[in-house]
């Protein structure tokens, strides 16, 4: 019997919106037509004059065209160069069509970033395209290639991160830019790097961030979950046993925005864009970048960037901050760091418009009934004051410049203490200091006093989401440490107090490794901050019979552990490594006598248990965790890593690389539409992270006005969603959910997690 006439939610929705909702897919009929037109958008940006009149048609044409795929080679530098050599020699040269050949991004260092104009249908046209596609997917999964939008690569480059820097990414998820920051931190081998703290206010997206960053494991990384606009201070220990507030050398402030620079991939923006979006977000963006300026050390640099072209979200935010900073912040010229990149300079004058496109040149022109929405801070500086702010040093990338999305980026340098922090800077932190008082003291601003704006009173943050397990660092007398140290021959230079577990009771399953700075920060701030993840997995419990140690080495921590290991390290040839990795049958691992004589001798000399297999040939440095049994050896690596290392060894990968498109060749003539649907599904499953921070366009502006008037009383729902491509199919559902329910996610606005 049926459902007695009850209709599903989808059926009810289709009754209201027709058979297909806007921008969705029907398997039989395909995609409905997306109308890429918005008259208000064109009127608004013509008035702003960010595009020369003779380039307007090209500007709009590119916005309506699909966005090319782009990627960069990441991971360790020596392997990155090897991957680049393989990619250019084996995959790029095989491409026959001129329009399919990838374009190297000249402004990205060492030719490590590329742009590819292949559509889903183009991929199926030739075997070379299919092989390139499989290569990109495989290396992306292994973490050696990052599928990242071209303009999204710019902010970390202009931030100029050095290995010793302490870096803070305020709005980090899904993590492509953060990955760049971590790579820069580890750019010089042999040097102890600084620190990267990646924060996001959305608890769910913090776990996506963790997943992304695990592809490039670093012991110098902490992931936190806080509202960036009221981010608590980080405490660090002093030499005298006290505490002080940590100030950062570099801060990346890629704020949530209306996202009109992403029209090429987020089609819903075409329908929902209106002139009021910028005014709705201006206050939030200002509060985030202002908090970033407070956490920056004198002499440090901060990038402010958005994926919006709107000057209300870009130059207006910077003008407001610079005016209130009274010379303690300066915009830097950074165009020389991006040779070959086309851009337009920042604006010193712009037009403020209401939702109905009524234009206002000055605050005095705004009707009284609109002044709570179109506030004075949205307007450009006076003509006589414009030059001192140097807004022309900002960069705006337009889609027709180099076939990309739209983007805005700027770099601020802190040359002195901010006016409102000068009175409280460098006060020692006492045990009785509350978390709230450490962010910024709150008090009334006396009229006539030139002491700058005060931060509003901070509410105690209510943490939502999963309750994290504690971070339990080893003590000097940790009972697990002596047998591990003896079994792997670990030197005294390895400090066991840098190891931690997440299990308070019972058997400890995994042991993680951190840097000294990360350990100190985690210990001191564990009760004050919501720390989602830190440390790299170095050991995993293994109760295999025959081994004298109950923990095996984890592949994630192998490179870090090598520095301290004096035993159980076997150097093998390229042929040995290929044989080990090609054999993925756990029941019949390669026998020891099949290895080269020198490798077999080394294996016979060590006991059963976890070991490192190392290959040093032709400049490569490959390290694989393996399990040495009585008569055989098996690799303990994931499939994606196995394929990556085999590719570096020049081995035959035919057993792993299945052409997913070849099996459909016979179906194309019979059912081409169904075949297209399958291609769409295949591409949508790729592990790709796009750097987009977009807010629902139907956000009530009155919420933002309330926040500006009284932050301590305002309660604002989540307004920002930064999406990866893998989440595009559920994007609209997430947006609707967050607008309706504050309790689901409170991201990038005044409700703290």
């Amino acid at each position: 019997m049926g459902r007695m006439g009850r209709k599903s939610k989808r059926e009810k929705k289709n009754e209201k919106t027709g058979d297909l909702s806007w921008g969705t897919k029907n398997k039989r009929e395909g995609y409905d037509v997306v109308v890429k037109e918005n008259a208000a958008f064109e009127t608004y940006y013509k008035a702003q004059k960010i595009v020369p009149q003779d380039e307007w048609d090209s500007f709009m044409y590119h916005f309506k065209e699909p966005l090319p795929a782009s990627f960069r080679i990441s991971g360790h530098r020596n392997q990155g160069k090897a991957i680049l050599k393989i990619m250019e020699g084996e995959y790029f040269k095989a491409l026959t069509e001129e329009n399919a050949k990838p374009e190297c991004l000249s402004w990205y260092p060492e030719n490590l970033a590329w742009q590819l104009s292949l559509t889903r249908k183009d991929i199926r046209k030739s075997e070379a395209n299919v092989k390139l596609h499989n290569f990109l997917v495989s290396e992306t999964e292994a973490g050696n290639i990052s599928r990242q939008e071209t303009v999204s690569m710019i902010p970390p480059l202009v931030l100029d991160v050095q290995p010793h820097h302490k870096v803070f990414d305020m709005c980090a998820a899904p993590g492509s830019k953060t990955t760049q920051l971590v790579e820069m931190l580890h750019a010089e081998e042999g040097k102890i790097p600084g620190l990267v703290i990646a924060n996001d206010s959305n608890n769910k997206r913090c776990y996506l961030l963790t997943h992304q960053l695990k592809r490039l494991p670093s012991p110098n990384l902490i992931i936190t979950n806080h509202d960036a606009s009221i981010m608590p201070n980080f405490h660090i220990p002093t030499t005298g046993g006290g505490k002080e507030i940590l100030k950062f050398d570099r801060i990346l402030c890629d704020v949530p925005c209306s996202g009109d620079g992403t029209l090429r991939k987020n089609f819903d923006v075409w329908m929902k864009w209106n002139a009021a979006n910028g005014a709705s977000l201006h206050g939030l963006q200002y509060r985030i970048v202002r908090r970033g300026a407070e956490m920056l050390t004198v002499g440090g640099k901060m990038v402010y960037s958005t994926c919006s072209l709107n000057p209300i979200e870009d130059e207006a935010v910077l003008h407001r901050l610079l005016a209130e900073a009274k010379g303690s912040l300066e915009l830097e010229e950074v165009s020389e760091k991006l040779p070959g990149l086309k851009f337009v300079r920042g604006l010193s004058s712009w037009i403020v418009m209401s939702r109905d496109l009524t234009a206002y040149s000055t605050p005095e022109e705004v009707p009284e009934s609109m002044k709570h929405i179109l506030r004075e801070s949205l307007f450009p500086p006076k003509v006589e004051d414009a030059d001192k702010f140097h807004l022309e040093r900002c960069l705006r990338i337009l889609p027709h410049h180099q076939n990309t999305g739209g983007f805005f980026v700027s770099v601020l340098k802190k040359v002195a203490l901010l006016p409102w922090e000068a009175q409280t800077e460098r006060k020692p932190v006492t045990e009785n200091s509350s978390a709230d008082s450490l962010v910024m003291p709150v008090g009334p601003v006396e009229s006539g006093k030139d002491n700058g704006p005060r931060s509003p009173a901070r509410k105690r943050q209510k943490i939502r989401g999963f309750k994290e397990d504690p971070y339990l660092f080893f003590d000097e007398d940790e009972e697990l440490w002596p047998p591990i140290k003896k079994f792997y021959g670990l030197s005294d230079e390895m400090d066991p107090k840098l190891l931690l577990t997440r299990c308070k009771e019972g058997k400890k399953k995994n042991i993680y490794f951190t840097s000294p700075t990360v350990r100190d920060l985690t210990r001191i701030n564990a009760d004050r901050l919501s720390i989602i993840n830190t440390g790299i997995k170095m050991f995993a419990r293994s109760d295999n019979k025959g081994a004298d140690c109950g923990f095996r080495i984890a592949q994630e921590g192998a490179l870090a552990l090598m520095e301290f290991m004096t035993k159980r390290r076997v150097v093998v040839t390229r042929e040995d490594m290929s044989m080990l990795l090609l054999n993925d049958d756990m029941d019949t691992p390669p026998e020891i006598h099949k290895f080269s004589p020198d490798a077999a001798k080394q294996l016979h000399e060590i006991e059963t248990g976890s070991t490192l297999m190392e290959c040093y040939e032709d400049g490569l440095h490959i390290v694989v965790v393996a399990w040495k049994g009585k008569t055989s050896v098996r690799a303990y690596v994931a499939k994606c890593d196995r394929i990556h290392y085999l590719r570096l060894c020049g081995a035959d990968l035919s057993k792993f690389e299945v052409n997913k498109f070849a099996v459909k060749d016979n179906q194309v003539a019979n059912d081409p539409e169904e075949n297209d649907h399958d291609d769409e599904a295949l591409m949508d499953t790729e592990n790709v992270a796009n750097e987009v921070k977009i807010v629902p366009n139907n956000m009530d502006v009155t919420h933002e006005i309330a926040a500006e008037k009284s932050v301590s009383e305002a309660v604002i729902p989540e307004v920002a969603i930064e999406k990866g491509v893998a989440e595009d199919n559920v994007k609209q559902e997430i947006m609707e959910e967050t607008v309706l329910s504050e309790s689901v996610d409170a991201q990038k606005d005044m409700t703290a997690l």
Side-chain angles (χ1 to χ4, degrees), residues 56-320:
W56 181 262
D57 291 341
S58 177
F59 171 76
M60 291 303 300
Y61 170 80
H62 280 82
F63 255 142
K64 297 175 182 180
E65 289 294 298
L67 183 68
S70 52
F71 58 91
R72 61 180 181 82
I73 298 173
S74 56
H76 300 284
R77 286 301 174 95
N78 64 333
Q79 293 188 10
K81 292 178 180 178
I83 286 294
L84 177 62
K85 184 178 180 180
I86 293 171
M87 185 172 63
E88 290 181 311
E90 184 175 342
Y91 296 97
F92 288 174
K93 286 184 178 180
L95 299 176
T96 55
E97 299 180 22
E98 191 63 30
N99 63 346
K101 292 186 179 297
E103 175 188 357
C104 181
L105 303 180
S106 61
W107 44 267
Y108 198 94
E110 302 184 46
N111 296 333
L112 294 178
W114 298 77
Q115 188 163 292
L116 184 62
S117 298
L118 279 178
T119 66
R120 291 172 172 89
K121 291 185 178 180
D122 291 334
I123 290 175
R124 199 176 55 213
K125 287 182 179 179
S126 70
E127 188 69 20
N129 291 354
V130 173
K131 287 184 177 181
L132 175 60
H133 170 263
N134 290 342
F135 165 78
L136 294 177
V137 172
S138 172
E139 291 298 329
T140 298
E141 188 178 358
N144 301 295
I145 284 180
S146 290
R147 291 284 302 275
Q148 183 178 358
E149 186 179 343
T150 299
V151 292
S152 153
M153 304 176 191
I154 296 174
L157 292 182
V158 298
L159 193 55
D160 189 28
V161 173
Q162 301 300 318
H164 64 278
H165 281 158
K166 295 178 177 63
V167 188
F168 184 33
D169 190 349
M170 301 186 75
C171 310
S176 294
K177 295 185 186 71
T178 314
T179 303
Q180 281 181 268
L181 299 176
V182 174
E183 290 171 19
M184 294 174 180
L185 209 67
H186 292 272
E188 299 181 21
E189 295 184 5
K191 287 191 175 183
I192 299 176
L195 167 76
V196 172
I197 297 179
N199 176 74
D200 202 88
S201 63
N202 186 314
N203 184 263
K204 293 179 182 178
R205 295 190 64 76
C206 281
Y207 293 98
L208 171 63
L209 177 62
T210 300
H211 172 73
Q212 292 279 43
L213 294 175
K214 283 298 182 183
R215 297 187 300 159
L216 189 65
S218 169
N220 302 75
L221 175 69
I222 298 176
I223 297 174
T224 61
N225 178 203
H226 285 278
D227 180 352
S229 66
I230 52 173
M231 187 74 199
N233 285 318
F234 292 87
H235 294 171
I236 53 174
T238 61
T239 53
K243 303 176 187 177
E244 67 178 8
I245 295 173
L246 172 67
K247 295 291 184 177
F248 293 93
D249 302 296
R250 297 290 187 269
I251 293 180
L252 176 56
C253 185
D254 187 49
V255 298
C257 64
S258 61
D260 55 23
T262 68
L263 286 166
R264 302 183 70 171
K265 61 186 179 186
N266 294 300
F267 301 142
D268 58 330
V269 180
W270 282 105
M271 182 178 68
K272 295 183 175 182
W273 189 94
N274 67 73
N277 295 342
S280 302
L281 291 163
H282 172 90
L284 167 65
Q285 293 161 338
Y286 164 74
R287 292 193 300 276
I288 294 176
V289 71
R290 180 177 181 272
R291 182 63 189 129
E294 293 170 351
M295 302 182 76
L296 191 64
T297 189
V298 174
K301 297 179 182 180
M302 175 172 62
V303 164
Y304 176 78
S305 61
T306 75
C307 54
S308 170
L309 303 179
N310 195 339
I312 304 300
E313 303 178 60
D314 301 334
E315 287 93 343
V317 174
L318 291 172
H319 167 237
R320 180 179 177 184

Side-chain angles (χ1 to χ4, degrees), residues 417-482:
L417 292 177
L418 300 169
W420 58 91
E421 68 176 348
Q423 300 174 7
T424 59
E425 190 67 14
R426 293 300 174 188
K427 284 188 177 181
V429 178
T430 63
E431 293 298 330
N432 296 327
S433 298
S434 67
D436 294 342
S437 65
L438 295 171
V439 177
M440 184 59 59
V442 180
V445 180
E446 298 180 23
S447 59
K449 292 289 186 72
D450 187 21
N451 55 359
R454 297 279 185 167
S455 293
R458 269 37 172 177
K459 282 189 174 182
R460 189 170 186 82
Q461 296 192 6
K462 184 177 180 181
I463 304 300
R464 297 187 178 95
F466 298 103
K467 183 178 180 181
E468 290 295 324
D469 292 327
Y471 296 86
L472 306 172
F473 284 88
F474 279 15
D475 295 322
E476 292 184 357
D477 57 351
E478 172 60 50
E479 62 180 10
L480 293 178
W481 176 241

Side-chain angles (χ1 to χ4, degrees), residues 201 227 230 464 714-718 742 746-747 749-753:
S201 63
D227 180 352
I230 52 173
R464 297 187 178 95
V715 179
I716 302 174
E718 174 189 311
E742 175 196 349
Q747 180 179 2
D749 212 318
M750 296 308 301
T751 301
L753 286 174

